[in-house]
């Protein structure tokens, strides 16, 4: 296993954030997984990193804070934290987020505290968030198992076995097998994604129509100058990086007011430490007008009401049902993995790169091109084995984009 761990750390550092000589690397990691952060730091220094700066996280301490800290803590972000993120981002540092969390870490926490905290950090960290969303800085989100998460994914197994199984599932998803060929495999994977991206961009679709047996019947119009992307991004400094590992999706942005119909979730969603399941939205002229969920309805309603843009959509992503992640037939209870096992949508902020020239546009210009703006961005899975997506070109021609859950183009 040690070899696989080293290969994974190297992959995150060299292909994920693609660390450059003389560049600072910020690593966020659960404190229980410090050993893995050390492997990443080692790989970064070997590649010429200037300095590795750590940010530690801990589910249980975070939970204690939300349960017991003074109420006014959730209305402000201390200046030093704003400076930490923003200054490093301005300098062009790379950010590696290694996630590993109990999907229900914040269950039972007062909703109002979470909402206020999201609003406060959304506002205080706006510049940092914009630099990240517009790919100005290289960033990468990866994951590492922790026992609470592993036991959720493999409920019948003792802790040690569950951890081993989750490690294997993660490493399979990111194409690491210990042979040292992961970097090469990723290059091939990116090439495959690019072929599909090119095809979709050539179609110049006007809209997409989703239907499946869950009851989804949704029409999504796309901005005239939308661009499909996926795989890697290019930072302001011209360096390629991969924002999510794994990534199987090809995505673009919908026209902010161009969505109508009903969409049903295909998988549970771990939303800020709580599960939401069996939900659907009714959408009119882009806006979510009804939210229904069998599990976690209040949570979901609060998130879609975080700000005005939270009730509009920011992402349309296509993932074939037949993907290395889906083929493991596992529910990860973690969006990084589950969103790469099924077609998904996101409500909230759109990525500027989804419009031609969007990365250098102002917020107002992006809005004028039909892109949504919000302090949140929540992906949820809608893809099923019988999902059908029919595209319509600007000339009115119908094209089968997805049939039976897989690409038809
Ligand atoms: Zn996505
Ligand atoms: Zn997303």
């Amino acid at each position: 296993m040690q070899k696989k761990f080293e290969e994974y750390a190297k992959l995150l550092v060299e292909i994920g954030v693609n660390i450059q000589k003389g560049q600072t690397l910020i690593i966020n990691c659960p404190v229980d997984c410090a050993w893995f952060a050390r492997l990443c730091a080692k790989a970064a220094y070997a590649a010429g990193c200037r300095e590795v700066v750590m940010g530690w996280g801990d589910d249980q301490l975070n939970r204690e804070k939300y349960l017991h800290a003074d109420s006014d803590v959730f209305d402000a972000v201390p200046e030093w934290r704003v400076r930490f993120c923003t200054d490093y981002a301005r300098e062009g540092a790379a950010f590696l987020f290694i996630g590993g969390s109990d999907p229900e870490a914040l269950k039972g926490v007062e909703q109002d505290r979470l909402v206020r905290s999201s609003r406060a950090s959304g506002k205080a960290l706006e510049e940092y968030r914009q630099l990240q969303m517009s790919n100005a800085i290289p960033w990468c989100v990866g994951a590492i198992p922790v026992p609470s998460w592993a036991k959720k994914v493999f409920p019948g197994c003792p802790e040690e076995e569950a951890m081993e199984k989750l490690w294997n599932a993660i490493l399979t998803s990111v194409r690491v097998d210990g042979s040292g060929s992961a970097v090469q495999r990723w290059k091939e994977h990116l090439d495959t994604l690019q072929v599909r991206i090119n095809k979709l961009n050539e179609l110049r679709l006007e809209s997409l129509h989703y239907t499946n047996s869950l009851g989804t019947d949704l029409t999504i119009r796309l901005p005239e100058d939308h661009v499909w992307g996926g795989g890697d991004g290019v930072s302001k400094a011209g360096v390629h990086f991969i924002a999510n590992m794994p990534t199987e999706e090809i995505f673009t942005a919908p026209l902010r007011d161009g969505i109508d119909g009903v969409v049903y979730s295909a998988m549970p969603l771990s939303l800020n430490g709580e599960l939401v399941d069996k939900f659907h939205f009714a959408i009119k002229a882009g806006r979510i007008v009804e939210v229904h969920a069998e599990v976690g309805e209040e949570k979901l309603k609060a998130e879609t009401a975080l700000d005005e843009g939270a009730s509009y959509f920011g992402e349309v992503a296509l993932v074939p049902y037949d993907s290395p992640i889906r083929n493991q037939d596992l529910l990860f209870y973690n969006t990084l993995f589950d969103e790469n096992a099924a077609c998904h949508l996101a409500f909230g902020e759109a990525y500027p790169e989804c419009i031609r020239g969007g990365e250098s546009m102002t917020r107002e210009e992006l809005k004028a091109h039909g892109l949504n703006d919000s302090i949140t961005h929540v992906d949820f899975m809608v893809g099923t084995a019988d999902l059908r997506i029919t595209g319509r070109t600007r000339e009115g021609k119908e094209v089968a984009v997805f049939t039976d859950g897989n690409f038809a183009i």
Side-chain angles (χ1 to χ4, degrees), residues 58-71 73-74 102-118 271-276 296-300 302-303:
D58 183 67
D59 269 357
Q60 289 173 56
L61 281 172
N62 201 34
R63 181 176 174 80
E64 287 301 311
K65 182 178 98 170
Y66 277 102
L67 286 175
H68 305 298
D70 279 1
S71 180
V73 165
F74 306 101
D102 178 348
E104 296 187 281
L106 297 177
K107 197 177 175 180
V109 160
E110 212 179 292
Q111 189 59 35
D112 180 57
R113 292 188 157 209
L114 290 162
V115 168
R116 283 190 284 133
S117 169
S118 296
L271 180 58
N272 306 330
E274 210 177 306
L275 282 184
V276 181
E297 186 171 285
E298 285 318 304
K299 180 92 191 167
L300 191 57
E303 192 68 24

Side-chain angles (χ1 to χ4, degrees), residues 151-164:
K151 281 197 289 196
K152 183 87 195 168
V153 182
F154 300 100
C157 297
E159 184 175 305
E160 205 176 314
E161 194 188 332
M163 281 291 282
E164 198 186 317

Side-chain angles (χ1 to χ4, degrees), residues 133 244 249 251 314-317 335 339 344-347 349 351 377-380:
M133 290 296 279
N244 284 187
E249 67 180 276
F251 66 97
E315 182 186 334
V316 180
T335 302
E339 73 168 349
H344 57 271
L345 301 172
F347 57 84
E349 178 97 331
Y351 289 97
H377 175 101
V378 177
D379 297 279
F380 64 98

Side-chain angles (χ1 to χ4, degrees), residues 306-327:
L306 211 52
D307 62 4
E308 208 223 331
S311 60
Y312 287 84
F313 287 77
E315 182 186 334
V316 180
L318 305 177
V319 184
Y321 204 73
D322 187 15
S323 79
I325 297 158
R326 161 65 67 180
N327 289 343

Side-chain angles (χ1 to χ4, degrees), residues 12-13 15-20 23-26 88-89 91-97 128 131-132 134-141 233-243:
L12 289 168
V13 168
I15 295 285
V17 292
N18 191 3
I19 198 77
Q20 301 293 298
Q23 190 180 26
T24 304
L25 174 65
I26 317 300
Y88 277 123
E91 172 197 308
F95 289 74
L96 175 60
F97 306 95
Y128 165 68
L131 287 169
Q132 188 189 358
S134 65
N135 286 344
I137 48 166
W139 56 285
C140 175
V141 182
V234 184
S235 76
K236 215 173 178 176
V239 175
H240 288 256
F241 67 96
I242 300 178

